[in-house]
Amino acid sequence: MAGEGMSREAANASRSSTFDDQRMESIMGRLLQVGVLLSSACVLVGGVLYLRAHAGGVANYRVFASEPANLRTLKGLMVSLCAGRPSAIIQLGVLLLIATPIARVVFAAFSFAMERDRLYVAISLTVLAVLIFGLVHSS
């Protein structure tokens, strides 16, 4: 009887752990889907507005023109978004696309912490630190 009770507890713990892992994977998958769809919608809306505003213009492909300085900082991007500039909406979509896998790593670290899995929390936080360091020092 005692052995049977132990096996039930182990089976329940296993099911609970499997359910948690499946739920975590499901939430991560949904997070990635929402991030990609949201960024795609921003780029699409910004692209349509940009083409509408610049209809009939001729593009100069001989000279590379980088992003304007006001779209390279978060503050400048917010000011441009408030002004309703289509290029800022496109830039926001690109930023959302970059932020989506970062949000996944943050969620993974949080969910591993809830499961009390210290090794994977440390790995997730290391990956997050590398991502943030790369973004901050990428210029």
Side-chain angles (χ1 to χ4, degrees), residues 9 18 30 37 40 42 49 56 60 63 81 90 93 105 123 128:
E9 290 176 8
T18 301
R30 185 67 63 188
L37 289 175
S40 298
C42 281
L49 292 174
N60 184 2
V63 177
L81 279 173
I90 295 171
V105 173
I123 291 171
L128 184 62

Side-chain angles (χ1 to χ4, degrees), residues 68-80 91 95:
N70 61 339
L71 295 179
R72 293 183 192 165
T73 63
L74 193 57
K75 182 180 177 185
L77 178 64
M78 291 301 152
V79 169
S80 295
Q91 190 74 1
L95 281 178

